[in-house]
Amino acid sequence: MNDNYIIKTTGLEHSHAKGTKTLTNINLNVAKGDIYGFLGPNGAGKTTTLRLLLGLTKIQTGKIEVFGQEFSSNRLAILRKVGSLIENPSLYGHLRAYENLEVYREIYGASKARVTEVLKIVGLEHTGKKKVKSFSLGMKQRLSVALALLPNPELLILDEPANGLDPTGIIELRELVKKLNKEEGMTILMSSHQLAEIEKMVNRIGIISKGEMIFQGSMNELKQLQKKQSKLLIHTSDDQTALQVLKAHEPELMEGVISVSYHNEQEIAKMSRALYEKQLDIYLLHPQQNNLEQLFMDLTTQHA
């Protein structure tokens, strides 16, 4: 195993009791120091994958390695170095933030000093006597993250942490995740069904759809794919001739408009010159670049 990988799964597959397959050949690679965004529509298999990584669901087929160790035979040693927020933990509304952490402190074997430390990390050190029931949703989510931080983990796994948060809560979560990664040195794996929520946090992306990985790579690689998906819409005085001129670009004619893929502005200029040289009047020359959210939708829709 590459020493740089904190998580590596090989051929991970899973089926429900009734035989419905939920995961197919999942090869997930999370490197040390990553903020890894695990993306997919609801029901794509994200939570199942994370539960397998934490031993909450039994491995059926495939292999999981965490910290360079085979998970099944080193489960307890591995989990001591992992913090997780998979489903909303039980927070006691009638207690203060500090008191909530005290409830879990001994379970995690954490010191009283660590309770104070994690409250400061998540920005809840000044909540005083305020009861958790009066916290905003964003504050409750940060307290939930604080629970996951009690054992001082090297790896933090968060399942849909931005669910239900308002824009302010999402910004707070984003800054917290970046802080944990940069200042605390944590590798972070977090799932979401919305790319827009986490693209500003992560450096690597894995996209899952219907239980299969359809993309895995850096944010830069995803942006390169975005450029490849960009379309140029063209309409001329003779679109049939234009189709022949643009043949190398694999043009498509739909509803009186030609659509071709392009990679950069130089290609647009080259196509425009080629059409002009054939004495065609150009009525429409409209670059249509996908944003990342649209690309995510396109990838998952095409796979479906």
Side-chain angles (χ1 to χ4, degrees), residues 139-210:
M139 291 171 70
K140 287 177 181 176
Q141 192 68 326
R142 281 186 281 142
L143 182 56
S144 298
V145 173
L147 286 174
L149 297 179
L150 276 176
N152 198 14
E154 294 178 36
L155 170 65
L156 184 62
I157 296 177
L158 306 173
D159 188 22
E160 300 271 7
N163 254 7
L165 295 184
D166 60 18
T168 300
I170 291 172
I171 291 169
E172 289 174 353
L173 175 69
R174 182 194 310 158
E175 294 310 308
L176 175 57
V177 166
K178 288 180 177 179
K179 178 181 178 181
L180 292 172
N181 179 252
K182 187 175 180 180
E183 297 180 15
E184 305 295 323
M186 286 183 201
T187 300
I188 299 171
L189 169 61
M190 56 191 301
S191 72
S192 178
H193 63 279
Q194 293 188 16
L195 175 60
E197 283 178 354
I198 65 169
E199 66 172 286
K200 296 180 179 69
M201 304 184 220
V202 305
N203 65 301
R204 279 179 59 79
I205 291 276
I207 298 177
I208 186 172
S209 179
K210 293 196 176 291

Coordinates of all heavy atoms in Angstrom, one line a residue, residues 139-210:
M139 N -24.5 25.8 15.3 CA -23.8 25.6 16.5 C -23.9 24.1 17.0 O -22.9 23.5 17.5 CB -24.3 26.5 17.6 CG -24.0 28.0 17.4 SD -24.9 29.1 18.5 CE -24.1 28.7 20.1
K140 N -25.1 23.5 16.8 CA -25.2 22.1 17.2 C -24.4 21.2 16.3 O -23.8 20.2 16.8 CB -26.7 21.7 17.0 CG -27.6 22.3 18.0 CD -29.1 21.9 17.8 CE -30.0 22.5 18.8 NZ -31.4 22.3 18.5
Q141 N -24.2 21.6 15.0 CA -23.4 20.8 14.2 C -21.9 20.9 14.6 O -21.2 19.9 14.6 CB -23.5 21.2 12.7 CG -22.9 20.3 11.7 CD -23.7 18.9 11.6 OE1 -24.2 18.4 12.6 NE2 -23.7 18.4 10.4
R142 N -21.5 22.1 15.0 CA -20.1 22.3 15.4 C -19.9 21.5 16.7 O -18.8 21.0 17.0 CB -19.8 23.7 15.6 CG -19.5 24.4 14.3 CD -19.0 25.9 14.4 NE -20.1 26.8 14.7 CZ -20.1 27.8 15.5 NH1 -19.0 28.0 16.3 NH2 -21.1 28.6 15.7
L143 N -20.9 21.5 17.6 CA -20.8 20.7 18.8 C -20.7 19.2 18.5 O -19.9 18.4 19.2 CB -21.9 20.9 19.8 CG -21.9 20.2 21.1 CD1 -20.7 20.5 21.9 CD2 -23.2 20.6 21.9
S144 N -21.4 18.7 17.5 CA -21.3 17.3 17.1 C -19.9 17.0 16.5 O -19.4 15.9 16.8 CB -22.3 17.1 15.9 OG -23.7 17.3 16.4
V145 N -19.3 18.0 15.8 CA -17.9 17.8 15.3 C -17.0 17.7 16.5 O -16.0 16.9 16.6 CB -17.5 18.9 14.4 CG1 -16.0 18.8 14.0 CG2 -18.4 18.9 13.1
A146 N -17.2 18.6 17.5 CA -16.4 18.6 18.7 C -16.4 17.2 19.4 O -15.4 16.7 19.9 CB -16.9 19.6 19.7
L147 N -17.6 16.5 19.4 CA -17.6 15.2 20.0 C -16.7 14.2 19.2 O -16.0 13.4 19.8 CB -19.0 14.6 19.9 CG -20.1 15.2 20.9 CD1 -21.5 14.6 20.5 CD2 -19.7 14.8 22.3
A148 N -16.7 14.4 17.9 CA -15.8 13.5 17.0 C -14.3 13.8 17.2 O -13.5 13.0 17.0 CB -16.2 13.7 15.6
L149 N -14.1 15.0 17.7 CA -12.7 15.5 17.9 C -12.1 15.1 19.3 O -10.9 15.2 19.5 CB -12.5 17.0 17.7 CG -12.9 17.6 16.4 CD1 -12.7 19.1 16.4 CD2 -12.0 17.0 15.3
L150 N -12.9 14.6 20.2 CA -12.5 14.3 21.5 C -11.3 13.3 21.6 O -10.3 13.5 22.3 CB -13.6 13.7 22.4 CG -14.6 14.7 23.0 CD1 -15.7 14.0 23.8 CD2 -13.8 15.6 24.1
P151 N -11.3 12.3 20.8 CA -10.1 11.3 20.8 C -8.9 11.9 20.1 O -7.9 11.1 19.9 CB -10.7 10.1 20.1 CG -11.7 10.5 19.2 CD -12.3 11.7 19.9
N152 N -8.9 13.1 19.6 CA -7.8 13.7 18.9 C -7.4 12.9 17.7 O -6.3 12.4 17.5 CB -6.6 13.9 19.8 CG -5.5 14.9 19.3 OD1 -5.8 15.6 18.3 ND2 -4.3 14.8 19.8
P153 N -8.3 12.7 16.8 CA -8.1 11.8 15.6 C -7.2 12.3 14.6 O -7.0 13.5 14.4 CB -9.6 11.6 15.1 CG -10.2 12.9 15.4 CD -9.7 13.3 16.7
E154 N -6.6 11.4 13.9 CA -5.8 11.7 12.7 C -6.7 11.8 11.4 O -6.3 12.5 10.5 CB -4.7 10.7 12.5 CG -3.6 10.6 13.6 CD -2.6 9.5 13.3 OE1 -2.3 9.3 12.1 OE2 -2.2 8.9 14.3
L155 N -7.8 11.0 11.5 CA -8.7 11.0 10.4 C -10.1 11.3 10.9 O -10.5 10.8 11.9 CB -8.7 9.6 9.7 CG -9.8 9.2 8.7 CD1 -9.6 10.1 7.5 CD2 -9.8 7.7 8.4
L156 N -10.7 12.3 10.1 CA -12.1 12.7 10.5 C -13.0 12.3 9.3 O -12.8 12.7 8.2 CB -12.1 14.2 10.8 CG -13.5 14.8 11.3 CD1 -13.9 14.2 12.6 CD2 -13.3 16.3 11.4
I157 N -14.1 11.6 9.6 CA -15.1 11.2 8.6 C -16.4 11.9 8.9 O -17.0 11.6 10.0 CB -15.2 9.7 8.6 CG1 -13.9 9.0 8.1 CG2 -16.3 9.3 7.6 CD1 -13.9 7.5 8.1
L158 N -16.9 12.7 8.0 CA -18.2 13.4 8.2 C -19.2 13.0 7.1 O -18.9 13.2 5.9 CB -17.9 14.9 8.2 CG -16.8 15.5 9.1 CD1 -16.6 16.9 8.9 CD2 -17.2 15.2 10.6
D159 N -20.4 12.6 7.5 CA -21.4 12.2 6.5 C -22.4 13.4 6.4 O -23.1 13.7 7.4 CB -22.1 10.9 7.0 CG -23.0 10.4 5.9 OD1 -22.9 10.7 4.8 OD2 -23.9 9.6 6.3
E160 N -22.5 14.0 5.3 CA -23.4 15.1 5.0 C -23.4 16.2 6.1 O -24.5 16.5 6.7 CB -24.8 14.5 4.8 CG -25.0 13.5 3.7 CD -25.3 14.2 2.3 OE1 -25.3 15.4 2.3 OE2 -25.6 13.5 1.4
P161 N -22.3 16.7 6.5 CA -22.2 17.6 7.6 C -22.9 18.9 7.4 O -23.3 19.7 8.3 CB -20.7 17.9 7.8 CG -20.1 17.7 6.5 CD -20.9 16.5 5.9
A162 N -23.2 19.3 6.1 CA -23.8 20.6 5.8 C -25.3 20.5 5.7 O -26.0 21.5 5.4 CB -23.2 21.2 4.5
N163 N -25.9 19.3 5.9 CA -27.3 19.1 5.7 C -28.1 20.0 6.6 O -27.9 20.1 7.8 CB -27.7 17.6 6.1 CG -28.0 16.8 4.8 OD1 -27.8 17.3 3.7 ND2 -28.4 15.6 5.0
G164 N -29.0 20.8 6.0 CA -29.9 21.6 6.8 C -29.3 22.9 7.3 O -30.0 23.7 7.9
L165 N -28.0 23.1 7.0 CA -27.4 24.4 7.5 C -27.8 25.6 6.6 O -27.9 25.4 5.3 CB -25.9 24.2 7.5 CG -25.3 23.2 8.5 CD1 -23.8 23.3 8.5 CD2 -25.8 23.5 9.9
D166 N -27.9 26.7 7.2 CA -28.2 27.9 6.4 C -26.8 28.4 5.8 O -25.8 27.9 6.2 CB -28.9 29.0 7.2 CG -28.1 29.5 8.4 OD1 -26.8 29.2 8.5 OD2 -28.7 30.1 9.3
P167 N -26.8 29.4 4.9 CA -25.5 29.9 4.4 C -24.5 30.2 5.4 O -23.3 29.9 5.2 CB -25.9 31.1 3.5 CG -27.4 30.8 3.1 CD -28.0 30.1 4.3
T168 N -24.9 30.9 6.5 CA -23.9 31.2 7.6 C -23.3 30.0 8.2 O -22.1 29.9 8.4 CB -24.6 32.1 8.7 OG1 -25.1 33.2 8.1 CG2 -23.6 32.4 9.8
G169 N -24.2 29.0 8.4 CA -23.7 27.7 9.0 C -22.8 27.0 8.1 O -21.8 26.4 8.5
I170 N -23.0 27.0 6.8 CA -22.1 26.4 5.8 C -20.8 27.0 5.8 O -19.7 26.4 5.7 CB -22.8 26.4 4.4 CG1 -24.0 25.5 4.4 CG2 -21.8 26.0 3.3 CD1 -24.8 25.5 3.1
I171 N -20.8 28.4 5.9 CA -19.5 29.1 5.9 C -18.7 28.8 7.2 O -17.5 28.5 7.1 CB -19.7 30.6 5.8 CG1 -20.3 31.0 4.4 CG2 -18.4 31.4 6.1 CD1 -20.8 32.4 4.3
E172 N -19.4 28.7 8.3 CA -18.8 28.3 9.5 C -18.2 26.9 9.5 O -17.0 26.7 9.9 CB -19.8 28.4 10.7 CG -20.2 29.8 11.1 CD -21.3 29.8 12.1 OE1 -21.8 28.7 12.5 OE2 -21.6 30.9 12.6
L173 N -18.9 26.0 8.9 CA -18.4 24.6 8.7 C -17.2 24.6 7.8 O -16.2 23.9 8.1 CB -19.6 23.7 8.1 CG -19.2 22.3 7.8 CD1 -18.9 21.5 9.1 CD2 -20.2 21.6 7.0
R174 N -17.3 25.3 6.7 CA -16.2 25.4 5.8 C -14.9 25.9 6.4 O -13.8 25.2 6.3 CB -16.5 26.3 4.6 CG -15.4 26.4 3.5 CD -15.7 27.6 2.6 NE -17.0 27.7 2.1 CZ -17.7 28.7 1.7 NH1 -17.0 29.9 1.7 NH2 -18.9 28.7 1.3
E175 N -15.0 26.9 7.2 CA -13.8 27.5 7.9 C -13.3 26.5 9.0 O -12.1 26.3 9.2 CB -14.1 28.8 8.6 CG -14.5 29.9 7.6 CD -13.4 30.0 6.5 OE1 -12.2 30.1 6.8 OE2 -13.8 30.0 5.3
L176 N -14.2 25.8 9.6 CA -13.8 24.8 10.6 C -13.1 23.6 10.0 O -12.0 23.2 10.5 CB -15.1 24.2 11.4 CG -14.8 23.1 12.4 CD1 -13.8 23.5 13.4 CD2 -16.1 22.7 13.0
V177 N -13.6 23.1 8.9 CA -12.9 22.0 8.2 C -11.5 22.4 7.7 O -10.5 21.6 7.9 CB -13.8 21.6 7.0 CG1 -13.0 20.6 6.0 CG2 -15.0 20.8 7.5
K178 N -11.4 23.6 7.2 CA -10.1 24.1 6.7 C -9.1 24.2 7.9 O -7.9 23.9 7.8 CB -10.2 25.4 6.0 CG -10.8 25.3 4.6 CD -10.9 26.7 4.0 CE -11.5 26.7 2.6 NZ -11.6 28.0 2.0
K179 N -9.6 24.7 9.0 CA -8.8 24.9 10.2 C -8.3 23.5 10.7 O -7.1 23.4 11.1 CB -9.6 25.6 11.3 CG -8.9 25.8 12.6 CD -9.8 26.5 13.6 CE -9.1 26.7 15.0 NZ -10.0 27.3 16.0
L180 N -9.2 22.5 10.8 CA -8.8 21.2 11.3 C -7.8 20.6 10.4 O -6.8 19.9 10.9 CB -10.1 20.3 11.3 CG -11.1 20.6 12.4 CD1 -12.4 19.8 12.2 CD2 -10.6 20.5 13.8
N181 N -7.9 20.8 9.1 CA -6.9 20.2 8.2 C -5.6 20.9 8.3 O -4.5 20.3 8.3 CB -7.5 20.4 6.7 CG -6.6 19.8 5.7 OD1 -6.0 20.6 4.9 ND2 -6.4 18.5 5.6
K182 N -5.6 22.3 8.3 CA -4.4 23.0 8.3 C -3.7 23.1 9.6 O -2.5 22.9 9.7 CB -4.7 24.5 7.8 CG -3.4 25.3 7.5 CD -3.8 26.7 6.9 CE -2.5 27.5 6.7 NZ -2.9 28.8 6.1
E183 N -4.4 23.4 10.7 CA -3.8 23.7 12.0 C -3.7 22.4 12.8 O -2.8 22.3 13.6 CB -4.6 24.7 12.7 CG -4.6 26.1 12.1 CD -5.4 27.1 12.8 OE1 -5.7 26.9 14.0 OE2 -5.7 28.2 12.3
E184 N -4.7 21.5 12.7 CA -4.6 20.2 13.5 C -4.0 19.1 12.7 O -3.9 18.0 13.2 CB -6.1 19.9 13.9 CG -6.8 21.0 14.7 CD -6.1 21.3 16.0 OE1 -5.6 20.4 16.7 OE2 -6.1 22.5 16.4
G185 N -3.8 19.3 11.4 CA -3.2 18.2 10.6 C -4.0 17.0 10.3 O -3.5 15.9 10.0
M186 N -5.4 17.2 10.3 CA -6.3 16.1 10.1 C -6.5 15.8 8.6 O -6.7 16.8 7.9 CB -7.6 16.3 10.8 CG -7.5 16.2 12.3 SD -9.2 16.4 13.0 CE -8.7 16.8 14.7
T187 N -6.6 14.6 8.3 CA -7.1 14.2 7.0 C -8.6 14.0 7.1 O -9.1 13.5 8.1 CB -6.5 12.8 6.6 OG1 -5.1 12.9 6.5 CG2 -7.1 12.3 5.2
I188 N -9.4 14.6 6.2 CA -10.8 14.7 6.3 C -11.5 14.1 5.1 O -11.2 14.4 4.0 CB -11.3 16.1 6.5 CG1 -10.6 16.7 7.8 CG2 -12.8 16.2 6.6 CD1 -10.8 18.2 8.0
L189 N -12.4 13.2 5.3 CA -13.3 12.6 4.3 C -14.7 13.0 4.6 O -15.2 12.7 5.7 CB -13.2 11.1 4.3 CG -14.2 10.3 3.5 CD1 -14.1 10.6 2.0 CD2 -14.0 8.8 3.7
M190 N -15.3 13.7 3.7 CA -16.7 14.2 4.0 C -17.6 14.0 2.8 O -17.2 14.2 1.6 CB -16.7 15.7 4.4 CG -16.1 16.6 3.4 SD -15.8 18.3 4.0 CE -17.5 18.8 4.5
S191 N -18.8 13.5 3.1 CA -19.7 13.3 2.0 C -20.7 14.4 1.8 O -21.0 15.2 2.8 CB -20.5 12.0 2.2 OG -21.4 12.1 3.3
S192 N -21.3 14.5 0.6 CA -22.3 15.5 0.4 C -23.1 15.1 -0.9 O -22.5 14.4 -1.7 CB -21.7 16.9 0.2 OG -22.7 17.9 -0.1
H193 N -24.3 15.6 -1.1 CA -25.0 15.5 -2.3 C -25.0 16.7 -3.2 O -25.6 16.8 -4.2 CB -26.4 15.0 -2.1 CG -27.3 15.9 -1.4 ND1 -27.3 16.0 0.0 CD2 -28.2 16.8 -1.8 CE1 -28.1 16.9 0.4 NE2 -28.7 17.4 -0.7
Q194 N -24.3 17.8 -2.6 CA -24.2 19.1 -3.3 C -22.8 19.5 -3.5 O -22.2 19.9 -2.5 CB -25.1 20.1 -2.6 CG -26.6 19.8 -2.6 CD -27.4 20.9 -2.1 OE1 -26.9 22.1 -1.9 NE2 -28.6 20.7 -1.8
L195 N -22.3 19.6 -4.7 CA -21.0 20.0 -5.0 C -20.7 21.4 -4.6 O -19.7 21.8 -4.0 CB -20.7 19.8 -6.5 CG -19.3 20.3 -7.0 CD1 -18.2 19.6 -6.3 CD2 -19.2 20.2 -8.5
A196 N -21.7 22.3 -4.8 CA -21.6 23.7 -4.5 C -21.2 23.9 -3.0 O -20.5 24.9 -2.6 CB -22.8 24.5 -4.8
E197 N -21.7 23.0 -2.1 CA -21.5 23.2 -0.7 C -20.0 23.0 -0.3 O -19.5 23.7 0.6 CB -22.3 22.2 0.1 CG -23.8 22.5 0.2 CD -24.5 21.4 1.0 OE1 -23.9 20.3 1.2 OE2 -25.7 21.6 1.2
I198 N -19.4 22.1 -1.0 CA -18.0 21.7 -0.5 C -16.9 21.9 -1.4 O -15.7 21.7 -1.1 CB -18.0 20.2 0.0 CG1 -18.3 19.3 -1.2 CG2 -19.0 20.0 1.1 CD1 -18.0 17.8 -0.8
E199 N -17.2 22.4 -2.7 CA -16.1 22.6 -3.6 C -15.1 23.6 -3.1 O -13.9 23.5 -3.5 CB -16.6 23.0 -5.0 CG -17.3 24.3 -5.1 CD -17.6 24.8 -6.5 OE1 -16.6 25.1 -7.2 OE2 -18.8 24.7 -6.9
K200 N -15.5 24.5 -2.2 CA -14.6 25.5 -1.7 C -13.7 24.9 -0.6 O -12.8 25.6 -0.1 CB -15.3 26.7 -1.2 CG -16.1 27.5 -2.3 CD -16.8 28.7 -1.8 CE -17.5 29.4 -2.9 NZ -18.7 28.7 -3.5
M201 N -14.0 23.7 -0.1 CA -13.3 23.1 1.0 C -12.3 22.1 0.6 O -11.2 22.0 1.2 CB -14.2 22.4 2.0 CG -15.3 23.3 2.6 SD -16.3 22.3 3.8 CE -17.9 22.7 3.4
V202 N -12.6 21.3 -0.5 CA -11.8 20.1 -0.7 C -10.8 20.3 -1.8 O -10.8 21.2 -2.6 CB -12.8 19.0 -1.2 CG1 -13.9 18.8 -0.2 CG2 -13.4 19.3 -2.6
N203 N -9.8 19.3 -1.7 CA -8.7 19.3 -2.8 C -8.9 18.1 -3.7 O -8.4 18.1 -4.8 CB -7.3 19.3 -2.1 CG -7.0 18.1 -1.3 OD1 -7.8 17.8 -0.4 ND2 -6.0 17.4 -1.7
R204 N -9.6 17.1 -3.2 CA -9.9 15.9 -4.0 C -11.4 15.5 -4.0 O -12.0 15.8 -3.0 CB -9.0 14.7 -3.6 CG -7.6 14.8 -4.1 CD -6.7 13.6 -3.6 NE -7.3 12.3 -4.0 CZ -7.2 11.8 -5.3 NH1 -6.6 12.5 -6.2 NH2 -7.7 10.6 -5.5
I205 N -11.8 14.9 -5.0 CA -13.2 14.6 -5.2 C -13.4 13.2 -5.6 O -12.6 12.7 -6.5 CB -13.8 15.5 -6.3 CG1 -13.9 17.0 -5.8 CG2 -15.2 15.0 -6.7 CD1 -15.1 17.3 -5.0
G206 N -14.4 12.5 -5.1 CA -14.8 11.2 -5.6 C -16.3 11.3 -5.8 O -17.0 11.8 -4.9
I207 N -16.8 10.9 -7.0 CA -18.2 11.0 -7.3 C -18.8 9.6 -7.5 O -18.2 8.8 -8.2 CB -18.5 11.9 -8.6 CG1 -18.0 13.3 -8.4 CG2 -20.0 11.9 -8.9 CD1 -18.1 14.2 -9.6
I208 N -19.8 9.3 -6.7 CA -20.4 8.0 -6.8 C -21.9 8.2 -7.3 O -22.6 9.1 -6.9 CB -20.4 7.3 -5.4 CG1 -20.9 5.9 -5.4 CG2 -21.1 8.2 -4.3 CD1 -20.7 5.1 -4.1
S209 N -22.3 7.2 -8.1 CA -23.7 7.2 -8.6 C -24.2 5.8 -8.8 O -23.5 5.0 -9.3 CB -23.8 8.0 -10.0 OG -25.1 8.0 -10.5
K210 N -25.3 5.5 -8.2 CA -25.9 4.2 -8.2 C -24.9 3.1 -7.8 O -24.7 2.0 -8.4 CB -26.5 3.9 -9.6 CG -27.7 4.7 -10.0 CD -28.4 4.2 -11.1 CE -29.7 5.0 -11.4 NZ -30.7 4.8 -10.4

